[in-house]
Amino acid sequence: MDGLRGIILDSSVLLAEDCDSNGAPTLRPAADFLFRALHYSQLHKGILFGHDLSIDKVNLLKKMCELYSFNCLKLNISVVDIVSEIAVAWGDVGKSILFVLSSHQMDSGLKLCDHGFFLSILDDVGEDSYKNPKVHHIKTLEELPLSLCRLNRKVASDKVLTVGYSMKHSRQADFAKRGAFPLYSAQYELIFLPLSYEMSIPLQLQEIDIILHKATDNIVSVELNSSISPKITFTNGMEELRRTLEDHPQCCVIDPFDKIYPVLDRLKIQYLLLGLKDLNKEGCSKIRGPHFLKVDKYNDLNLTEKLLEAKAIVFRFEDYKDLEVPLPAIIQEYIDHSSTIFKFYVLGEQIFHAVKKSIPNGDVLVQLLNGNELKPLVFDSLKSLPTSEKNEIGDAAVDLELVKNAANWLRRKLDLTIFGFDVVIQEGTGDHVIVDVNYLPSFKEVPDDIAIPAFWEAIKNKFKERQHV
């Protein structure tokens, strides 16, 4: 058997007993977590509707079915009728289907088991009180993905690896809808399990071989100082995971927390990029980092001279006194690059790239100012980055061999498995300038049928490499 192929949730395990303040039906705690985990799981999914449900409850569940791609299945007394309805909805999926029922439906559930289906019972006991290997109990809905993982591991080969992942909901959905997080992929021998911080982390780690995290999604604060690593405060859940992993060395972490710290410190990255000069050859394109300046105080008497050396765009030097940017700050050279940026993605041993529109050249930025008053341009590069319709440099303009050499150099220096960086080509000089480095990017510009297998391969190869250390 290639693992579970479908899951059917009875309405009783999804609906809360109490209504909201307006008397409307609500879902049980963790129902949203479960829906998100199953949405792009590559499983057939259905909700079993009882005949005694009110119209408000039916409408709520139908809304969830539409939102998370579940089938609506009617409750029939006869198991034969249920099997028939499943066949109509999903075709020939066999008996590799998990039914999730409430404790008062145990008798009906056992009949399903007698016909070869798997059964999970939601109650407050949470103990397997039956010897039937196809029956188990859970206390909360958040336990269900872990139960699915255990069931799939029982039928999987010994080579299957379980990847526990943690990132913000929007990023998880972005990866999952592209097929990156199947609950079980028999072809690639991978199981993906979303971590829940409402459950015991050590309990979940017992089933996990690899941890994939986007810890930067869960940063509360960062304090940069002269120490080797910055002082980072994570959310409670991520901090618990970080601490727990210290006691579970058997888990392969992609990538270890200490490896991502340099990426969070722009000054460290700037100094690291100075080493790119060793890759340059006479008579060839040059790759480098941008010129930069660390500023500890804006009233430095030599600031103007230092800014000129850093080749920063400055309309009026006196504007620095009014900046609200926290100190110390990094002022980086602005590079005229024909409004084109090359995004490179490193997935293990493989390197991909894409071309995107970027912010305009310096003279265009000046024109964006209101009137003739040369005041600072302030924007968040993640939210309000001004872009230009102009895009003059084509893909052929980039020296791929040079940048791939730089990518391999960065991989060795940073010791990261999955990361990205941005390259712009300076007008006039043709310099290839790495202007940003980031950890676990979305690499959404790379076609999914190419990127996702490379993503999985990078994860598996890192695990194999770790096993041989």
Side-chain angles (χ1 to χ4, degrees):
M1 186 176 87
D2 292 333
L4 291 172
R5 300 179 64 186
I7 182 169
I8 295 177
L9 308 173
D10 186 75
S11 57
S12 63
V13 305
L14 294 172
L15 294 168
E17 295 183 1
D18 300 326
C19 298
D20 64 15
S21 58
N22 296 319
T26 59
L27 298 173
R28 286 178 182 263
D32 286 338
F33 168 82
L34 181 60
F35 280 130
R36 288 195 302 270
L38 295 175
H39 190 187
Y40 300 107
S41 63
Q42 301 181 14
L43 290 175
H44 293 290
K45 305 175 293 294
I47 294 179
L48 208 56
F49 285 67
H51 295 299
D52 57 343
L53 293 180
S54 68
I55 187 64
D56 288 340
K57 291 181 178 180
V58 169
N59 288 338
L60 174 60
L61 293 176
K62 284 185 175 180
K63 180 181 178 181
M64 294 298 104
C65 285
E66 182 178 353
L67 186 60
Y68 294 102
S69 305
F70 278 67
N71 289 104
C72 298
L73 303 173
K74 296 178 182 178
L75 178 63
N76 296 286
I77 298 176
S78 168
V79 175
V80 175
D81 290 339
I82 293 177
V83 172
S84 176
E85 189 163 349
I86 291 173
V88 171
W90 298 341
D92 184 18
V93 296
K95 300 297 179 66
S96 55
I97 294 174
L98 174 67
F99 281 81
V100 185
L101 309 178
S102 55
S103 56
H104 70 271
Q105 297 170 304
M106 176 62 77
D107 291 340
S108 299
L110 291 177
K111 292 179 182 179
L112 290 168
C113 284
D114 291 340
H115 280 74
F117 294 102
F118 293 88
L119 176 64
S120 183
I121 297 296
L122 176 66
D123 58 27
D124 56 3
V125 177
E127 296 179 357
D128 292 341
S129 54
Y130 293 84
K131 298 299 182 180
N132 192 325
K134 293 191 174 184
V135 181
H136 66 284
H137 290 245
I138 57 174
K139 292 182 179 180
T140 69
L141 292 179
E142 284 177 311
E143 294 180 44
L144 196 54
L146 184 62
S147 297
L148 287 168
C149 173
R150 288 169 172 163
L151 285 171
N152 281 324
R153 287 186 75 109
K154 287 181 179 179
V155 300
S157 72
D158 295 337
K159 296 180 180 180
V160 166
L161 300 173
T162 300
V163 183
Y165 61 92
S166 175
M167 55 190 64
K168 64 183 180 182
H169 298 329
S170 59
R171 195 181 310 278
Q172 174 183 327
D174 178 61
F175 273 99
K177 69 184 178 182
R178 294 157 60 195
F181 294 153
L183 280 179
Y184 179 39
S185 172
Q187 179 183 358
Y188 287 92
E189 299 180 317
L190 286 172
I191 292 173
F192 284 87
L193 175 66
L195 293 178
S196 169
Y197 293 119
E198 300 301 320
M199 293 172 55
S200 164
I201 295 298
L203 177 65
Q204 295 173 83
L205 291 183
Q206 290 177 10
E207 304 293 333
I208 290 173
D209 303 294
I210 302 167
I211 288 290
L212 178 73
H213 67 89
K214 180 75 171 178
T216 49
D217 285 346
N218 299 92
I219 291 177
V220 176
S221 64
V222 179
E223 296 181 22
L224 301 178
N225 48 49
S226 58
S227 61
I228 297 177
S229 298
K231 181 181 179 181
I232 300 178
T233 303
F234 295 102
T235 56
N236 291 337
M238 185 58 71
E239 183 59 33
E240 181 185 2
L241 175 62
R242 186 194 66 79
R243 290 196 308 266
T244 307
L245 284 171
E246 294 176 355
D247 298 325
H248 290 76
Q250 79 280 2
C251 283
C252 174
V253 183
I254 302 175
D255 283 295
F257 284 69
D258 62 321
K259 300 298 183 183
I260 69 171
Y261 294 155
V263 181
L264 301 177
D265 189 335
R266 186 171 289 271
L267 183 61
K268 281 187 170 62
I269 288 295
Q270 296 283 22
Y271 279 119
L272 175 70
L273 294 178
L274 292 176
L276 289 169
K277 66 180 185 298
D278 296 333
L279 303 180
N280 295 320
K281 299 178 181 179
E282 191 69 29
C284 299
S285 299
K286 182 168 68 173
I287 192 162
R288 63 179 179 87
H291 301 294
F292 65 95
L293 173 67
K294 179 188 176 187
V295 178
D296 293 306
K297 54 183 180 179
Y298 293 127
N299 59 354
D300 186 340
L301 296 178
N302 297 319
L303 182 59
T304 298
E305 180 181 347
K306 293 177 180 178
L307 288 170
L308 291 173
E309 292 176 356
K311 300 183 180 181
I313 289 183
V314 181
F315 302 133
R316 297 190 313 183
F317 292 102
E318 57 267 28
D319 284 329
Y320 276 93
K321 66 181 180 181
D322 298 322
L323 282 181
E324 297 181 357
V325 179
L327 292 170
I330 304 300
I331 297 176
Q332 183 175 295
E333 169 193 14
Y334 187 81
I335 299 154
D336 284 342
H337 56 288
S338 300
S339 307
T340 304
I341 192 166
F342 299 87
K343 304 188 75 67
F344 280 81
Y345 303 107
V346 179
L347 305 179
E349 297 294 322
Q350 300 193 56
I351 302 168
F352 305 93
H353 80 282
V355 187
K356 294 191 68 177
K357 293 178 181 178
S358 181
I359 51 181
N361 286 350
D363 58 340
V364 179
L365 288 175
V366 173
Q367 296 174 15
L368 293 176
L369 298 173
N370 296 323
N372 296 320
E373 185 181 358
L374 297 179
K375 53 187 178 181
L377 284 173
V378 179
F379 57 86
D380 184 334
S381 63
L382 296 179
K383 299 177 182 177
S384 58
L385 188 69
T387 59
S388 173
E389 294 299 323
K390 180 181 177 183
N391 192 327
E392 296 181 348
I393 298 181
D395 192 27
V398 66
D399 187 335
L400 288 179
E401 182 179 358
L402 176 66
V403 182
K404 287 184 177 181
N405 287 339
N408 289 321
W409 181 85
L410 277 172
R411 178 170 49 216
R412 293 191 298 270
K413 291 293 183 180
L414 295 171
D415 194 17
L416 292 176
T417 308
I418 302 170
F419 66 95
F421 59 93
D422 297 339
V423 174
V424 297
I425 299 177
Q426 186 174 31
E427 286 189 3
T429 68
D431 286 0
H432 291 47
V433 187
I434 297 180
V435 293
D436 191 26
V437 181
N438 54 87
Y439 150 73
L440 192 60
S442 66
F443 51 85
K444 58 185 177 183
E445 291 84 7
V446 184
D448 293 343
D449 59 342
I450 297 174
I452 301 307
F455 174 61
W456 292 342
E457 200 64 32
I459 291 173
K460 294 176 68 172
N461 286 342
K462 187 64 177 181
F463 177 83
K464 293 176 183 176
E465 176 187 314
R466 169 77 179 274
Q467 296 301 104
H468 289 95
V469 173

